[in-house]
Amino acid sequence: MQRSARETKRMQNQVLFLFLLSLFCGAISQPVRYSILEELAKGSRVGNLAKDLGLSVQELPDRKLRVSAEDYFSVSTESGDLVVSGRIDREKICGRKSECVLEFESVTENPMNIFHVIVAIQDINDNAPRFVANDIELEICESALPGTKFPLDSAQDADVESNSLRKYTINPNQHFSLSTKESPDGSKYPELLLEKALDREHQSSHRLILTAIDGGEPPLSSTTQIHIKVTDANDNAPTFSQDTYRVSLHENMPLGTSVLRVTATDKDEGGNAEITYAFLNAPASTSLIFSLNPNTGDITTNGTLDFEEKSRYVLGVEAKDGGVHTAHCNVEIEIVDENDNAPEVTFMSFSSLIPEDSSLGTVVALIKVRDRDSGQNGLVSCFIQEDVPFKLESTSKNYYKLVIDRALNRELTPEYNVTITATDKGTPPLSASTTITLHVGDVNDNAPVFQQAAYVAHVAENNAPGASIAQVSASDPDLGPNGQVAYSIVASDLEPRALASYVSVGAQSGVVYAQRAFDHEQLRAFALTLQARDQGAPARGANVSLRVLVGDRNDNAPRVLHPAPGPDGAALLDTVPRAAEPGYLVTKVVAVDADAGHNAWLSYHVLQASDPGLFSLGLRTGEVRTARALGDRDAARHRLLVAVRDGGQPPLSATATLHLVFADSLQEVLPDLQDRPAPADAQAELQFYLVVALALVSVLFLLAVILAIALRLRHSSGRAAWGCFQSALGSKAGPVVQPNYSEGTVPYSYNLCVASHSAKAEFNFLNVTPEVAPPHDLLCDDPSLDVCAHDEDLKLAYEPSLSTHQAPPNTDWRFSQAQRPGTSGSQNGDETGTWPNNQFDTEMLQAMILASASEAADGSSTLGGGAGTMGLSARYGPQFTLQHVPDYRQNVYIPGSNATLTNAAGKRDGKAPAGGNGNKKKSGKKEKK
């Protein structure tokens, strides 16, 4: 019960200490202290370490709280309690020390820090006193006087303080009593006191029981037997010269070094004065370190002295004479420290992989430096030998932090070998080094970089689908996914929906593939924006432009625009005045080529001619001129077969057939044309088509008028929006530039104004300017016009494919403004130079419009004329003169020229134009209709 009360009081004191410690832990930066009893069960709670360190339970998993004394203690991750993890034997840990403490470190991470923890181990009475020998042999001379004292062997108790050995007792007897003595080192030994003189004859021996009792609750004890043999008288005991001998000895002394000599004397003589020496109750470890000469009392070293293991020795020496008398003394040996231990560098924690974007001051490693020596020999300084972006910071005694001192760049230095050297302050100083390898972890801090600032790819048209046309390449110095580059197309000047059908890029290779065959005439160049993007988080990317130039191939043959065959394939007739002088411009072969460059450079050649010397052909212009005057023997009709070749390799060509007739009037030609009979049903078929066309036009006109009146009533203010349906019912004719106009096309459209009261169909063709179109809502100049056909009705062009996709001619082959031709025949083209292929496009359009207008006019005027006047043959009757056939060169503006085609032949020759000059007539096949 008494022991239980004392333990309860001790626990209360411990709790009070922890409570007071928790009050001041925030204000002082001292080690955390605990006090526990030894031999606590595993899992016993020592204290709430997390709370005492100022940590919350929630942050324990991240901070990774742990202790270095893992053999004895551990930290509960749920509560932060410091608990016992192993057997704590105070006697094993501290031996006979009066104060026993365990000092260790507590380490936290994120951020990394270290705290000192001290746990005081309190002794419990778990060890009973033990005698070295089970029996004590003692000889006492019968002449010993009462009051003589006889020291006995002491018992050893591993416990300390109150639990250590307290007293000795013997069983009651009439001759002896027992007293407890204390030696200078604090140990207690028994001393037997002779109370009554002995009488060997009466009793030669005595047997006593010696009991050693400690101070624990309850007390523990052990016993041994004392065998006393009564001998004859030896009345003088040995005496030492000193009760205590003291000496200092350096550690690491060689074996056999003399420590000191103890000396005892005895006043007796003979055998009773012969003294022998021996260690008294010396443990086995002491006899291994020191040896004692039993005859001389010399003490010498018998093993290695190590200050770090034990710094002080206390030896008991007994001197015994030849009889039964003994004497005791103590020898105290102090071990002097030598600088014989180099410092020890230990990494408590370190990160072998450091992200390169770590901030300055980031803790890389926690280092503990230890030197087992003491004093100056144990003072250690630590430093880094290499020039590395790290430095050491001292945190507490013998602890350092290795932190980042400069910015890291894995691409420059992927790893560092850091050598940490610790040197003590002994003489001579000792040092130790430890090298660690720190790897710099990669982060995605580099964007891909293309090898070129921009890329240009050349690909010829008509390429095979799937062909590689270019390759882009970007590099990224990062590692792993941070350096893996993927390519993609992020922008283009092509339509987004059509982009995928044109090109694609290999995500891993950067190779750009053509998904289709390119056509230079449709697409000459396009631009792409390619992106290289790594796989990091967050991903980084870079863009580069790729311009793809589509080269031209000679894949388009020339196309003859003039002369154009009729619907039935018949060629047109060109009339030439009989009086035409040499150089007279007869006609012009107009051709275009959809290709570009040399592939579109056209040349004109005569393949066949009925009279080779009568006409000449411009090599580059295609102009047909008279080479000489017409002779009396020359035929009136001639045929030229003209070949048009481009400049490609191999060249492509087309042919055109010209039918030329020398006549001063159309009547001279008509008899030949009328000689050829036409099919009986041709005229009736044509009349049927004309009636249907007129009926359809009339219905559409009525619908348009009704719609216009309804809209005008609804929107009276919309006068400008209805153009031809205003009160004037007229619209000024003008060209309209098509939205898809491109260089090399003829984007002209015409507004045709027809007067309903006129007896004849009259067409007013305004001068056409390719650059600027007149406003859409201009009225016709003539207010007497009843009907104004919208420009959408008669919009004409060469060909949809040519107007949309015709490539612009190379500027290297264009003429200057001074070299551009005016009206047909107004200039002689350079036979050896280049000539724009479409310079007479307007003329061709004018001819086509005139042909259509003539058909409509003749059909309209003959509707009420009676039989025999409906077909085209009526146009060539005797009453038909050239005044009914307007000159197609009149009022035609040629792009790039200030001239207007107004009877150019007559003006050129300085003569009045002949009756049929410059008018086109159908051949015999056309007349049959």
Side-chain angles (χ1 to χ4, degrees), residues 406-520:
R406 298 195 301 270
L408 304 178
N409 190 342
R410 188 207 63 82
E411 288 70 36
L412 296 178
T413 308
E415 67 178 27
Y416 294 92
N417 291 322
V418 181
T419 301
I420 299 174
T421 302
T423 304
D424 61 24
K425 296 184 178 181
T427 304
L430 300 178
S431 62
S433 299
T434 300
T435 301
I436 60 172
T437 300
L438 300 177
H439 300 275
V440 181
D442 182 60
V443 297
N444 193 23
D445 57 345
N446 291 279
V449 177
F450 283 95
Q451 294 181 355
Q452 300 180 22
Y455 292 84
V456 177
H458 297 268
V459 55
E461 65 175 337
N462 302 327
N463 56 288
S468 171
I469 61 175
Q471 182 174 13
V472 298
S473 179
S475 60
D476 193 322
D478 293 325
L479 290 179
N482 296 333
Q484 294 177 358
V485 179
Y487 302 91
S488 61
I489 301 174
V490 295
S492 174
D493 56 0
L494 298 173
E495 287 292 334
R497 291 177 293 181
L499 176 61
S501 64
Y502 277 87
V503 290
S504 65
V505 63
Q508 304 301 325
S509 62
V511 177
V512 180
Y513 299 96
Q515 297 297 105
R516 64 193 299 178
F518 297 144
D519 189 352
H520 176 80

Side-chain angles (χ1 to χ4, degrees), residues 729-751:
L729 293 178
S731 174
K732 181 176 292 186
V736 177
V737 180
Q738 298 183 10
N740 55 356
Y741 166 71
S742 62
E743 186 177 353
T745 65
V746 185
Y748 305 109
S749 61
Y750 297 87
N751 294 332

Side-chain angles (χ1 to χ4, degrees), residues 523-787:
L523 182 67
R524 295 192 174 188
F526 60 92
L528 302 175
T529 300
L530 301 176
Q531 184 181 75
R533 193 173 184 87
D534 57 30
Q535 307 301 314
R540 293 177 177 266
N543 294 346
V544 71
S545 63
L546 169 63
R547 182 167 180 82
V548 181
L549 303 178
V550 181
D552 182 57
R553 286 181 175 175
N554 194 25
D555 57 346
N556 291 280
R559 183 187 181 97
V560 177
L561 300 181
H562 179 76
D568 56 353
L572 299 177
L573 293 176
D574 288 282
T575 61
V576 185
R578 293 181 179 276
E581 296 181 355
Y584 175 82
L585 178 62
V586 177
T587 186
K588 178 181 177 67
V589 179
V590 180
V592 294
D593 195 317
D595 293 323
H598 283 279
N599 297 328
W601 196 358
L602 302 182
S603 61
Y604 301 85
H605 308 272
V606 176
L607 296 181
Q608 293 179 2
S610 58
D611 190 347
L614 186 56
F615 299 97
S616 64
L617 178 64
L619 178 63
R620 298 300 179 187
T621 62
E623 293 180 348
V624 179
R625 297 178 181 271
T626 57
R628 60 180 177 82
L630 180 68
D632 296 336
R633 296 184 179 181
D634 293 329
R637 301 186 60 177
H638 295 271
R639 176 178 177 272
L640 291 179
L641 180 60
V642 178
V644 183
R645 297 192 185 97
D646 60 23
Q649 292 296 330
L652 301 178
S653 63
T655 60
T657 303
L658 301 177
H659 295 274
L660 307 177
V661 178
F662 282 88
D664 292 331
S665 62
L666 185 60
Q667 286 79 359
E668 298 179 16
V669 184
L670 291 178
D672 292 338
L673 299 177
Q674 292 174 351
D675 290 341
R676 300 178 183 179
D681 59 345
Q683 183 174 356
E685 182 181 358
L686 180 59
Q687 290 177 353
F688 173 76
Y689 290 150
L690 290 175
V691 171
V692 173
L694 289 175
L696 181 60
V697 170
S698 300
V699 172
L700 293 177
F701 173 76
L702 291 176
L703 291 177
V705 170
I706 294 172
L707 180 61
I709 294 174
L711 291 178
R712 184 167 182 174
L713 292 177
R714 185 176 180 182
H715 301 283
S716 60
S717 62
R719 181 173 179 269
W722 289 98
C724 291
F725 298 105
Q726 301 293 332
S727 60
L729 293 178
S731 174
K732 181 176 292 186
V736 177
V737 180
Q738 298 183 10
N740 55 356
Y741 166 71
S742 62
E743 186 177 353
T745 65
V746 185
Y748 305 109
S749 61
Y750 297 87
N751 294 332
L752 180 62
C753 294
V754 182
S756 62
H757 61 274
S758 177
K760 298 181 181 180
E762 181 178 353
F763 296 86
N764 181 20
F765 290 91
L766 301 182
N767 291 343
V768 180
T769 302
E771 301 288 343
V772 181
H776 193 298
D777 56 352
L778 291 178
L779 299 178
C780 295
D781 291 337
D782 189 358
S784 63
L785 295 179
D786 297 328
V787 180

